[in-house]
Amino acid sequence: MKLYCLSGHPTLPCNVLKFKSTTIMLDCGLDTTAALSFLPLPLVHSPRLSKLPGWVSKDGAINLEKELKECSGRVFVDSQPEFCLPEKELLDLSTIDVILISNYHCMMALPYITEHTGFTGTVYATEPTLQIGRLLMEELVTFMERVPKAHAASCWKNKDIQRLLPSPLKDAADVWSWRTCYSMSEVNSALSKVQLVGYSQKVELFGAVLVTPLSSGYSLGSSNWIIQSHYEKVSYVSGSSLLTTHPQPMEQGSLKNSDVLILTGLTQIPTANPDGMLGEFCSNLSMTIRGGGNVLVPCYSSGVIYDLLECLYQFMDSANLGSTPFYFISPVANSSLEFSQIFAEWLCQNKQSKVYLPEPPFPHAELIQTNKLKHYPSIHGDFSSEFRQPCVVFTGHPSLRFGDVVHFMELWGKSGLNTIIFTEPDFSYLDALAPYQPLAMKCVYCPIDTRLNFHQVSKLLKDIQPLHVVCPEPYTQPPPAQAHRSDLMLELQPPPMAYRRCSVLGLPFRRRYERIQLLPELAKSLVPSEIKPGVSVATVSAVLQSKDNKHVLQPVPKPAPVPPSKKRKRVMEEPPEVLNPKPLLSGAVPLEPFLATLHKNGIMEVKVEETADGHILHLQAEDVLIQLEEDGTHIICDNNEPLRTALRDLVLRFLQKL
Amino acid sequence: MDSDCLSLLPAVCLVLADPKQSPPDDTSLEKLLDWFKEMHSQSNEQVLLQHQPCLKEFISSVCTSKTTDPAILSFTLKLTGLLACTKQGFHLLEVGGLLVCVFEREAWFVCDLWEDASVRSGWLQGLLNMLKHRQALDFICGNGLLKVILQLQNDGSLFVACLANQLLVHILNFLTSSNMTNGSDAVESRESSLSPDWVSVSSEIMNGVVEALSSDDHPRVLQGLRLLSSVPSQCGEPIRSTLWKDVLVPLEVLINRGSESLTQPLMTVLQAAVMTPLLGQSEYKVKELLEAMLGSGNKNESFQCAALTIKLEKCPEVLKRKAIDIVLLPLQCVSAQSQDTAEKMNLALKEQLSKKASCISHLMQSLSSLEELAYTKYQFEGISIHSVTSSVVLLLRICSGHYPSSLIQNNASTRLIGCCKVQRCGLDTLGALSVYEENLNIRKDIFGVLLDYLKSPDSHATVLKKTYQATVSWIAVCSPFPDLLQFISHDLFPVLKKRMCDLRWEVRDSTLEFVTQLTVALNGNSGFIEALHTSGMVSILLSSLADSEGYVRASAVAVVGEAVDSSLHHTVLVCKSNLLEEALKQMMTILSQDTEGFPRRAVVKAFTSWLKGSHLVTAVHPFLSSVLSLGCNDFDWEVKMHTLELAEVLMEKTLTCCPYAVQNFGSSEKELMQALSKLKEFGLFDLLFNSLFDCDRPVCEKACALLLKLRTLTSESADFDSTLVLNVNGNRWGDEVQSRYLNTQQAKGSVCTSDERMDSGLHCIKDISLPMILHILDLDDMQRTLRLSSDHVVNSPRSLMEDILSAAQQSEDNIVDCY
């Protein structure tokens, strides 16, 4: 059993598990942080961005004016933003049988894996994961295609040039594997390979293993997976949450008794408590609005935004925000808000029960009805005529490199009254803000990450007791910025196996058993004999048939009588000749009675020597040695076959035959 | 009143003694006893028993009855003791053996009543009540009751055991008191020795204590220690020293055994001893015992002992220092950054600190002891207050997850992250440490950690509150430093602005309270006021007036009031930020429309404090009459009270403007007149008269007091009669005044006799002069009635007795009904 790690990112995993005869990809997360190296894509022509000076090395030797632009001391690539894909060279992607998706954030690289690689397998995901994942991909594609770039920059990737570039471009790894965004047709093709599953549904893969998604409590339809055969169980935990937010709570019981637990997707900000951050978010928002400023919240179009809106819904009146408009701008804003309301069965109990009242499970429906929350596909069109300030705008993309957020950064960045509040933990907010410097707008970092923290995970592991834990390397040491926080790492016994990008881990357990089915007629023919109380044994002679990873023992077919009339001899597929097997022996030869029997049979002179495993009997007159051991008896007797046979029969008297 | 009660007494006694009646509840019986006690103290040796033979009958009937209720018996025992506390009373009860009959339980008809704890406690209480004279002690000792008391010391009921202890201490105390010595040489004989008659009594009790202390039975030891802890403070010599000498050996054994559960009682004993001259005499080893309790800080209980030792008054300085060393150890070890501090840590402490619960409790002990020492501004020796304060700062950092990696006790640290208990305690201590001037040069660190707590999104609301308290105390001592303003405007204000928008109303509330305290603490600091106005704080404060939570609105009103008050010198600032105008507008809205009482009360209070302020705010004046009338008609009685306080201040301010003191009254009568007319314009008299007839007693009382003041002022002059008249028509109080006015006129016989004339009279008395109104309202009588609490009728002993009687009556009726 092996694990191929195609991504080293702890929360955007992409691993391949080879288990029995199957090759299973666990998630395919797309690391979009590479986009931070690129210039933002403005929706409206930005004189500031278009006037940025090109970069020329100090000695003037390298001139990449067209490709690289300088902005407040940093260099950015002026091209369509690119993303860092999972490793494609570690194994042949066409051999992958299935891809299991745990949540919609962890499937963004799917088109890169399933298209143009020869992939012929199936993707398994829950319905909300598929639908919201599709929205996020659609949004990403729209963001990119709305602002096409005439030419793609690639000279800077040249190794000899790259090493001369200023940081952080100089240090970017695997730049040649960076790719621009996929197209809508690729998205559609990739998603057509998805097969929907429900929680706790057992899906059989080639008869070899069963995979089951379990609720993970992190987002709508998010799941952990159990991959098990009859005798082995691997659990894959990715992006789980024990907090009470909108999704169904995490199912923990079924994770018990795992041989291996692959643990990914813990919180990215272990020191930030989501409740505290939500409080920070609300108070900063309210403070800005009271001061007459606008609030910009760069966020994904699904996920935490539902909780933010719900929290604001409760907070608004008490904070005198009743008349402040909230805008949600995204190409998929409408679908996202509406989808969330129809996946009732995937929601927490509290929200599910609302559906029967009947009420919409999320309060954002009421916000929309009362015109407090308005949503638009983009800043163009209706929005520009209805826009009122001060206001709160939720829009993507949280990297601040593309999407409508770029426009608001240009619009509001100059005023100290406005505030940008970062709630998504995926990007470093300082890096995200770099191309907008100098910035007068206030910046607040309230990362809200509801995934498991180290305290919760150590409790969980204590509870479910897996034999081995596999996790990304960063989880085995404290965060670099807090080197002394020994509580912010996994401390387990035995220590967890750590992986990084391109690792191939041999998982530390050996398969020892395989289940075989016995056909009824064969079973009927067995004659068990009890060898000790409760244990009966029978010998089986049968033909083992293995098909679709299932093993069946069938009765030995009787040799077909040779038709005598046939003249022509033909090569017949002879069934294997069945020999009557020698009987199997069981039992032990007791020393004293055996000596007595020898004596009765005229063997008088026996010298008994005790050994570590049993006894050696030296029949002195006959010069024969009999070794009596726990699992074997040897009669050593040179050139005296009758005596050996006689002695053998004496030994056999004490043993049971099957 | 008492004569009424005495007439009811025989009937009450009959009811109580009647076994068919269910006894009144315990509270009634206790109240009845209280009344007896009061009667006794007032009777000046006149014996109640003599005049009330029913009492004796009652007592004897209870004791001889076969069906006495335990509650009644207990009551009787206490009552008998009370009646026998004078020599005369004792004598009356002793005659005929009644006293023996009461207190000898063998004499009772129902013996198993003793099983009831309330009876035993009544028995002890009775003896305690009685033990005021020598005969009583004779009685106790002569009848062998002392043995019973000693037994009761180990009674299963804690109340009984405690009472027995009290009684024993009382006996010991009594042996040395002047009651026991004859005549003039009382004082000398007290000092010298006990009369030989009583030696056996005292030694019997003392032996009991020694036995208890040497016993293996834990509750017995506890009782012994309890008794012992009362003796040094309550008993004189020679009992004190004799007893102490006797118990010294078992006490030493107990201390050296070191049982954690006995630490507290043992310390109480030693604490009592420390307060007496025993401490100074080496043979009594008080100091040694205390030292032994402390050990060398290597036992678990030594931390608790050390914490208790620090609290001891008159503790020898050497011991105190040792205790401080011990008690600070956990704090120093957890925040140890160098190996030498860590070396101080012994095994016991190491083990304690490795467990979360004990680590937290030890740290809390360290911190609270330190806090206590800081309150007395204790001068540490051998420990620099600097390093102690730094340890507290570091501990607070540890608790919030920010700490240096050089910490020795890293394990303990991760356990403390986010621990609210330690955070709160540490912040209290840090606040208390602001009394040491030496700490002023680490104020940067201190403000740094406080700011971290204020900023942290994970700070609990209660922790934030404590942080604010600590910050206020530090800001108060740092106010002379120029860097303070920098800190306030650059670091503190941005955080406060955010906290005023917090999700939790408790946080918003305590933030506003903090700003109020800050403004008070830095009153007169013009830099601060300027920062307050220029930083945008004012607009957020004003917007808090519309908070959704009533408490927050109330605090916002208070802080805005304070801000207005302290900004008045800075006219430019006030005008620029529109503070006063906006504040007045919103406050009037709150007073007239807010649905909750707290904000409305706060508004009236703010007006009061503005008026009280040295600079009379003229801008406020146009609003005063509205405030008075709104406040007067409020539903909330506290708003009305505050309005009356505002009226009081207004009266003082307006009337002191003119020197109206009696001596030069004549010359300034005109000014007084003007002042009063001004008050009339404000509607003050309407307020006072309306409040006088309010439905809430405290409101009426306050109004009455203010009117009395006015009366004194106006009665001096008759001139006001014609000039200062009030319209009495069409309001609540006017009707009352009118009818009283007519009554007085009728009494004089001068005016109306027929209906017609009364009508015309009514017509003509639409306006009555203020002095006249004050005169016809019998304010003195009103004040007298108002002073009595509203339940004075219900609470009287007479009503108690009537209740007892009527309850009995009713139960009889019920029986008839049932039949």
PDB file of all heavy atoms in Angstrom, chain A residues 94-108:
ATOM      1  N   SER A  94      -3.248   8.648 -15.917  1.00  0.00           N
ATOM      2  CA  SER A  94      -4.258   7.858 -16.619  1.00  0.00           C
ATOM      3  C   SER A  94      -4.550   6.549 -15.875  1.00  0.00           C
ATOM      4  O   SER A  94      -5.538   5.885 -16.158  1.00  0.00           O
ATOM      5  CB  SER A  94      -3.806   7.564 -18.042  1.00  0.00           C
ATOM      6  OG  SER A  94      -2.675   6.714 -17.988  1.00  0.00           O
ATOM      7  N   THR A  95      -3.688   6.208 -14.921  1.00  0.00           N
ATOM      8  CA  THR A  95      -3.917   4.951 -14.194  1.00  0.00           C
ATOM      9  C   THR A  95      -4.869   5.138 -13.015  1.00  0.00           C
ATOM     10  O   THR A  95      -5.210   4.171 -12.334  1.00  0.00           O
ATOM     11  CB  THR A  95      -2.594   4.389 -13.646  1.00  0.00           C
ATOM     12  OG1 THR A  95      -2.050   5.363 -12.757  1.00  0.00           O
ATOM     13  CG2 THR A  95      -1.618   4.094 -14.746  1.00  0.00           C
ATOM     14  N   ILE A  96      -5.266   6.368 -12.790  1.00  0.00           N
ATOM     15  CA  ILE A  96      -6.128   6.607 -11.620  1.00  0.00           C
ATOM     16  C   ILE A  96      -7.525   6.072 -11.905  1.00  0.00           C
ATOM     17  O   ILE A  96      -8.123   6.357 -12.935  1.00  0.00           O
ATOM     18  CB  ILE A  96      -6.155   8.104 -11.297  1.00  0.00           C
ATOM     19  CG1 ILE A  96      -4.786   8.487 -10.735  1.00  0.00           C
ATOM     20  CG2 ILE A  96      -7.247   8.440 -10.302  1.00  0.00           C
ATOM     21  CD1 ILE A  96      -4.582   9.947 -10.611  1.00  0.00           C
ATOM     22  N   ASP A  97      -8.013   5.276 -10.955  1.00  0.00           N
ATOM     23  CA  ASP A  97      -9.323   4.667 -11.139  1.00  0.00           C
ATOM     24  C   ASP A  97     -10.439   5.605 -10.705  1.00  0.00           C
ATOM     25  O   ASP A  97     -11.428   5.765 -11.394  1.00  0.00           O
ATOM     26  CB  ASP A  97      -9.421   3.375 -10.325  1.00  0.00           C
ATOM     27  CG  ASP A  97      -8.391   2.370 -10.782  1.00  0.00           C
ATOM     28  OD1 ASP A  97      -8.242   2.196 -11.992  1.00  0.00           O
ATOM     29  OD2 ASP A  97      -7.705   1.774  -9.910  1.00  0.00           O
ATOM     30  N   VAL A  98     -10.262   6.163  -9.515  1.00  0.00           N
ATOM     31  CA  VAL A  98     -11.319   7.049  -9.020  1.00  0.00           C
ATOM     32  C   VAL A  98     -10.694   8.256  -8.324  1.00  0.00           C
ATOM     33  O   VAL A  98      -9.554   8.200  -7.852  1.00  0.00           O
ATOM     34  CB  VAL A  98     -12.256   6.354  -8.003  1.00  0.00           C
ATOM     35  CG1 VAL A  98     -13.062   5.275  -8.651  1.00  0.00           C
ATOM     36  CG2 VAL A  98     -11.494   5.828  -6.829  1.00  0.00           C
ATOM     37  N   ILE A  99     -11.467   9.316  -8.264  1.00  0.00           N
ATOM     38  CA  ILE A  99     -11.055  10.494  -7.497  1.00  0.00           C
ATOM     39  C   ILE A  99     -12.148  10.733  -6.454  1.00  0.00           C
ATOM     40  O   ILE A  99     -13.332  10.792  -6.802  1.00  0.00           O
ATOM     41  CB  ILE A  99     -10.902  11.731  -8.399  1.00  0.00           C
ATOM     42  CG1 ILE A  99      -9.885  11.447  -9.509  1.00  0.00           C
ATOM     43  CG2 ILE A  99     -10.474  12.942  -7.580  1.00  0.00           C
ATOM     44  CD1 ILE A  99      -9.671  12.607 -10.473  1.00  0.00           C
ATOM     45  N   LEU A 100     -11.762  10.827  -5.192  1.00  0.00           N
ATOM     46  CA  LEU A 100     -12.728  11.115  -4.132  1.00  0.00           C
ATOM     47  C   LEU A 100     -12.562  12.580  -3.729  1.00  0.00           C
ATOM     48  O   LEU A 100     -11.453  13.018  -3.427  1.00  0.00           O
ATOM     49  CB  LEU A 100     -12.476  10.226  -2.908  1.00  0.00           C
ATOM     50  CG  LEU A 100     -12.412   8.725  -3.162  1.00  0.00           C
ATOM     51  CD1 LEU A 100     -12.161   7.978  -1.852  1.00  0.00           C
ATOM     52  CD2 LEU A 100     -13.700   8.228  -3.800  1.00  0.00           C
ATOM     53  N   ILE A 101     -13.653  13.321  -3.755  1.00  0.00           N
ATOM     54  CA  ILE A 101     -13.578  14.749  -3.430  1.00  0.00           C
ATOM     55  C   ILE A 101     -14.170  14.961  -2.048  1.00  0.00           C
ATOM     56  O   ILE A 101     -15.260  14.467  -1.747  1.00  0.00           O
ATOM     57  CB  ILE A 101     -14.391  15.581  -4.442  1.00  0.00           C
ATOM     58  CG1 ILE A 101     -13.908  15.322  -5.869  1.00  0.00           C
ATOM     59  CG2 ILE A 101     -14.323  17.064  -4.106  1.00  0.00           C
ATOM     60  CD1 ILE A 101     -12.526  15.812  -6.146  1.00  0.00           C
ATOM     61  N   SER A 102     -13.458  15.680  -1.197  1.00  0.00           N
ATOM     62  CA  SER A 102     -14.006  15.876   0.142  1.00  0.00           C
ATOM     63  C   SER A 102     -14.768  17.192   0.315  1.00  0.00           C
ATOM     64  O   SER A 102     -15.687  17.252   1.115  1.00  0.00           O
ATOM     65  CB  SER A 102     -12.919  15.739   1.205  1.00  0.00           C
ATOM     66  OG  SER A 102     -11.825  16.511   0.873  1.00  0.00           O
ATOM     67  N   ASN A 103     -14.390  18.240  -0.365  1.00  0.00           N
ATOM     68  CA  ASN A 103     -15.230  19.445  -0.317  1.00  0.00           C
ATOM     69  C   ASN A 103     -14.939  20.323  -1.520  1.00  0.00           C
ATOM     70  O   ASN A 103     -13.957  20.115  -2.228  1.00  0.00           O
ATOM     71  CB  ASN A 103     -15.035  20.205   0.995  1.00  0.00           C
ATOM     72  CG  ASN A 103     -13.623  20.682   1.189  1.00  0.00           C
ATOM     73  OD1 ASN A 103     -13.130  21.496   0.424  1.00  0.00           O
ATOM     74  ND2 ASN A 103     -12.929  20.138   2.185  1.00  0.00           N
ATOM     75  N   TYR A 104     -15.809  21.312  -1.728  1.00  0.00           N
ATOM     76  CA  TYR A 104     -15.703  22.060  -2.986  1.00  0.00           C
ATOM     77  C   TYR A 104     -14.430  22.875  -3.114  1.00  0.00           C
ATOM     78  O   TYR A 104     -14.036  23.240  -4.209  1.00  0.00           O
ATOM     79  CB  TYR A 104     -16.951  22.908  -3.252  1.00  0.00           C
ATOM     80  CG  TYR A 104     -17.473  23.722  -2.094  1.00  0.00           C
ATOM     81  CD1 TYR A 104     -16.855  24.898  -1.706  1.00  0.00           C
ATOM     82  CD2 TYR A 104     -18.623  23.320  -1.398  1.00  0.00           C
ATOM     83  CE1 TYR A 104     -17.351  25.655  -0.659  1.00  0.00           C
ATOM     84  CE2 TYR A 104     -19.126  24.070  -0.350  1.00  0.00           C
ATOM     85  CZ  TYR A 104     -18.484  25.235   0.016  1.00  0.00           C
ATOM     86  OH  TYR A 104     -18.980  25.981   1.061  1.00  0.00           O
ATOM     87  N   HIS A 105     -13.747  23.150  -2.008  1.00  0.00           N
ATOM     88  CA  HIS A 105     -12.486  23.885  -2.137  1.00  0.00           C
ATOM     89  C   HIS A 105     -11.378  22.964  -2.617  1.00  0.00           C
ATOM     90  O   HIS A 105     -10.354  23.436  -3.089  1.00  0.00           O
ATOM     91  CB  HIS A 105     -12.078  24.486  -0.791  1.00  0.00           C
ATOM     92  CG  HIS A 105     -12.919  25.672  -0.406  1.00  0.00           C
ATOM     93  ND1 HIS A 105     -12.987  26.800  -1.178  1.00  0.00           N
ATOM     94  CD2 HIS A 105     -13.724  25.888   0.649  1.00  0.00           C
ATOM     95  CE1 HIS A 105     -13.799  27.679  -0.604  1.00  0.00           C
ATOM     96  NE2 HIS A 105     -14.272  27.139   0.504  1.00  0.00           N
ATOM     97  N   CYS A 106     -11.557  21.663  -2.417  1.00  0.00           N
ATOM     98  CA  CYS A 106     -10.486  20.720  -2.721  1.00  0.00           C
ATOM     99  C   CYS A 106     -10.669  20.056  -4.077  1.00  0.00           C
ATOM    100  O   CYS A 106     -10.172  18.962  -4.302  1.00  0.00           O
ATOM    101  CB  CYS A 106     -10.405  19.653  -1.635  1.00  0.00           C
ATOM    102  SG  CYS A 106      -9.804  20.300  -0.103  1.00  0.00           S
ATOM    103  N   MET A 107     -11.428  20.661  -4.983  1.00  0.00           N
ATOM    104  CA  MET A 107     -11.627  20.034  -6.292  1.00  0.00           C
ATOM    105  C   MET A 107     -11.286  20.985  -7.432  1.00  0.00           C
ATOM    106  O   MET A 107     -11.536  20.679  -8.593  1.00  0.00           O
ATOM    107  CB  MET A 107     -13.078  19.561  -6.423  1.00  0.00           C
ATOM    108  CG  MET A 107     -14.089  20.682  -6.396  1.00  0.00           C
ATOM    109  SD  MET A 107     -15.800  20.098  -6.421  1.00  0.00           S
ATOM    110  CE  MET A 107     -15.935  19.541  -8.091  1.00  0.00           C
ATOM    111  N   MET A 108     -10.688  22.118  -7.067  1.00  0.00           N
ATOM    112  CA  MET A 108     -10.523  23.144  -8.103  1.00  0.00           C
ATOM    113  C   MET A 108      -9.517  22.738  -9.184  1.00  0.00           C
ATOM    114  O   MET A 108      -9.482  23.330 -10.255  1.00  0.00           O
ATOM    115  CB  MET A 108     -10.127  24.469  -7.462  1.00  0.00           C
ATOM    116  CG  MET A 108     -11.172  25.037  -6.520  1.00  0.00           C
ATOM    117  SD  MET A 108     -12.703  25.410  -7.344  1.00  0.00           S
ATOM    118  CE  MET A 108     -12.298  26.974  -8.078  1.00  0.00           C
TER     119      MET A 108
END
